[in-house]
Amino acid sequence: MAAANLLSEEEFSCPVCCDIFRDPVLLSCSHSVCRTCLQQFWETKGSQECPVCRRRSSKSDPPCNRALKNLCEAFLESRSQRASAEFEVLCSLHNEKLKLFCLEDQQPVCVVCNLSKAHKNHNCCPIDEAVCDFKNKLKTSLERLQQNLKALEEVKQTCDETAAHIKCQAQHTERQIKEEFEKLHQFLRDEESARIAALKEEEEQKSHMMRRKIEEMNGEIESLSDQIRNLQKEMEHTPKEPEKVSALLINVAKHLSSLKFRVWENMQKILQYTPVTLDPNTAHPHLHLSDDLTTAECRPQTSLLPDNPERFEVYPCVLGSEGFNSGTHCWDVDVGGSEYWALGVIRESESRKGSSVWDSVWSLHYSKSSNEYWIKKLQRVRVQLDWDRGKVTFTDLITSSHLHTITHTFTDTVFPIIYSYSSPVRLLPAKISVMIENQSVVC
């Protein structure tokens, strides 16, 4: 130890890495180098040379310089002890080591401080124990922070998934909107072409009629001219005045009369209106919705959906996109192929997670495998909500027979709910009708 203290750090440093020797080896030229540094140097140079004097080593595995290794280890230990002594904190009042910790004043103290008036009768413990207690408290706080960090990371992951899903939703919805408007544009283009074609056809007919009439008139004019030349002095027969041809002009009124209304009237053949549209943000991950958001079918999940609060977690359910808090509302549902279904309304504030979701659902159910609280198999069902009177009525559309009525005093907004576990369940379009009222003016 004394010999190590007499030497400087440079004398214990490797000439290659310039750090304290680690496992030094002794070369035949008497120079010493770290074993790892020597192997790397030889691999780089491609020859067994001394990194200091460049003499070729006669041994591929030089022996360890144990004396130098022991001195280096002693030097490192001495330096560590000196560093600990340099950083040791002393009491500013008594110049003694701070070996105790006052639990009441929450500060380190020396033995003299512990006996002084300032800390007399105070609870003190060895500073190592206090450090250990603080480390345990910090560890507990760190664990809580790590748990909070993990929770935040999970929420962030959910937010990232939701953001990605929102982008996919927007792109898919934009594509659907463009497709629907393209259908309308194509319909209008076809209507335009058909009406222009009808106009051209009438124009050709009328033009052909006029050409034929003009030819006849030219013949009569030529014939009359000949008669006039032959009978300039004697005109015994006066020619009849040519008859004017009627209905030769384009029937403009036929083509333009209520044009927009007539086109809209024809559009009813391709238009559909459903009183309820399904909300994909509430659909269970296994419940697939059609592009027009009118059909729900339970099938294996094919894409990752965000676990947003509105989405059902346990049951394959989906809500309508619009809630009701007053008035009377009605929608028809085709359930013919499904073996497990339920129709009705649910309170808006009801949680979509867990199995208690049916606590605030007023519905009609059907199950092939159950005989209790279920009705016969149906094809089409009408659901009618009278929010003000507190009634939900179910009707068989095929036979127009009443099935069941649920009474309840509604206080919250309710949404249409559909449960489907097997075959598709489809919302039926409502009939669209046009009524024209004739208004008479009394003068």
Side-chain angles (χ1 to χ4, degrees):
M1 181 70 71
N5 291 333
L6 296 175
L7 299 175
S8 64
E9 182 174 342
E10 294 180 358
E11 295 176 274
F12 292 101
S13 299
C14 171
V16 177
C17 64
C18 299
D19 199 357
I20 303 300
F21 282 106
R22 302 288 182 182
D23 191 16
V25 295
L26 182 62
L27 299 176
S28 56
C29 60
S30 299
H31 289 119
S32 294
V33 186
C34 292
R35 186 181 297 276
T36 303
C37 295
L38 181 63
Q39 293 298 329
Q40 292 176 350
F41 180 79
W42 283 357
E43 291 176 0
T44 303
K45 293 292 292 182
S47 61
Q48 296 180 0
E49 298 179 358
C50 173
V52 180
C53 65
R54 295 295 191 269
R55 283 184 61 182
R56 186 173 184 81
S57 175
S58 59
K59 298 180 180 180
S60 59
D61 187 16
C64 176
N65 191 341
R66 295 189 179 279
L68 180 58
K69 182 178 181 182
N70 294 335
L71 286 173
C72 290
E73 291 176 353
F75 177 79
L76 289 173
E77 183 179 356
S78 175
R79 188 174 66 177
S80 176
Q81 291 176 355
R82 290 198 305 269
S84 299
E86 289 175 1
F87 288 102
E88 193 172 53
V89 181
L90 300 178
C91 176
S92 59
L93 297 177
H94 309 103
N95 202 26
E96 294 286 340
K97 292 183 180 180
L98 300 174
K99 295 184 177 182
L100 300 175
F101 187 80
C102 180
L103 299 177
E104 297 186 19
D105 295 330
Q106 292 291 301
Q107 65 180 37
V109 296
C110 68
V111 178
V112 179
C113 291
N114 186 34
L115 299 175
S116 65
K117 294 182 179 180
H119 298 281
K120 189 175 183 179
N121 298 325
H122 285 187
N123 291 326
C124 295
C125 68
I127 197 165
D128 293 339
E129 293 183 7
V131 170
C132 184
D133 291 341
F134 277 114
K135 284 184 178 180
N136 291 333
K137 291 180 180 178
L138 288 174
K139 183 179 179 181
T140 303
S141 300
L142 179 61
E143 290 176 352
R144 287 199 298 267
L145 290 175
Q146 289 173 338
Q147 292 175 356
N148 292 338
L149 176 61
K150 183 179 180 181
L152 288 174
E153 289 175 346
E154 292 176 353
V155 173
K156 181 181 180 298
Q157 182 180 357
T158 301
C159 292
D160 292 339
E161 294 173 355
T162 303
H165 184 66
I166 289 171
K167 186 174 182 180
C168 293
Q169 274 188 313
Q171 294 174 348
H172 180 69
T173 305
E174 180 181 357
R175 183 168 61 255
Q176 288 182 281
I177 291 173
K178 289 182 178 179
E179 290 175 356
E180 291 299 320
F181 272 94
E182 177 57 30
K183 293 177 183 177
L184 293 177
H185 294 161
Q186 186 60 44
F187 174 82
L188 292 175
R189 287 193 291 268
D190 294 343
E191 281 288 317
E192 179 185 11
S193 299
R195 293 182 179 276
I196 291 177
L199 174 63
K200 294 295 184 182
E201 182 180 0
E202 184 178 355
E203 177 190 11
E204 182 62 27
Q205 292 175 355
K206 298 297 176 67
S207 297
H208 178 72
M209 187 185 302
M210 287 303 301
R211 287 195 298 270
R212 188 173 59 185
K213 191 66 178 178
I214 290 173
E215 290 175 0
E216 293 176 358
M217 295 294 294
N218 287 335
E220 291 183 9
I221 290 173
E222 185 176 354
S223 176
L224 288 176
S225 296
D226 292 340
Q227 291 182 21
I228 289 173
R229 284 193 298 269
N230 296 329
L231 303 175
Q232 285 182 348
K233 295 182 180 180
E234 299 180 25
M235 296 186 63
E236 296 179 357
H237 301 284
T238 302
K240 296 181 180 179
E241 183 178 352
E243 297 180 359
K244 294 183 179 180
V245 182
S246 61
L248 292 178
L249 299 180
I250 297 294
N251 191 348
V252 178
K254 181 184 73 172
H255 296 287
L256 297 182
S257 175
S258 302
L259 176 60
K260 295 178 182 178
F261 175 80
R262 300 301 177 192
V263 172
W264 178 79
E265 191 176 32
N266 290 336
M267 285 179 66
Q268 294 182 64
K269 301 173 183 178
I270 66 170
L271 295 180
Q272 285 189 344
Y273 169 74
T274 52
V276 172
T277 301
L278 302 179
D279 184 359
N281 294 334
T282 65
H284 186 275
H286 289 177
L287 204 60
H288 178 76
L289 304 186
S290 60
D291 288 340
D292 59 0
L293 304 179
T294 61
T295 303
E297 179 180 5
C298 192
R299 64 173 68 166
Q301 185 177 358
T302 57
S303 60
L304 183 63
L305 298 174
D307 186 20
N308 48 302
E310 302 90 350
R311 193 175 305 281
F312 283 94
E313 180 184 47
V314 177
Y315 299 104
C317 297
V318 63
L319 299 187
S321 60
E322 181 182 359
F324 308 118
N325 56 14
S326 64
T328 302
H329 309 273
C330 177
W331 56 95
D332 300 336
V333 187
D334 187 339
V335 297
S338 180
E339 303 292 347
Y340 303 93
W341 56 264
L343 306 174
V345 295
I346 183 175
R347 187 170 58 190
E348 179 183 21
S349 58
E350 186 65 30
S351 173
R352 316 291 161 78
K353 313 299 181 182
S355 58
S356 62
V357 65
W358 294 104
D359 293 346
S360 297
V361 175
W362 300 271
S363 60
L364 186 72
H365 304 261
Y366 173 79
S367 173
K368 180 180 179 181
S369 60
S370 177
N371 296 321
E372 186 177 3
Y373 304 113
W374 305 81
I375 62 173
K376 65 179 183 179
K377 188 173 182 179
L378 300 171
Q379 295 293 323
R380 296 186 174 187
V381 178
R382 170 167 293 174
V383 184
Q384 182 167 336
L385 167 68
D386 190 337
W387 194 95
D388 299 325
R389 295 184 179 182
K391 291 183 179 181
V392 183
T393 303
F394 301 92
T395 306
D396 184 349
L397 277 181
I398 303 299
T399 61
S400 298
S401 59
H402 174 263
L403 297 173
H404 186 58
T405 296
I406 301 174
T407 58
H408 179 79
T409 302
F410 297 111
T411 57
D412 300 332
T413 300
V414 295
F415 281 77
I417 183 172
I418 289 179
Y419 169 96
S420 175
Y421 189 71
S422 57
S423 302
V425 172
R426 181 170 64 93
L427 288 162
L428 297 173
K431 293 183 179 180
I432 303 176
S433 61
V434 180
M435 181 180 294
I436 302 176
E437 295 182 357
N438 293 324
Q439 296 181 353
S440 58
V441 179
V442 179
C443 299

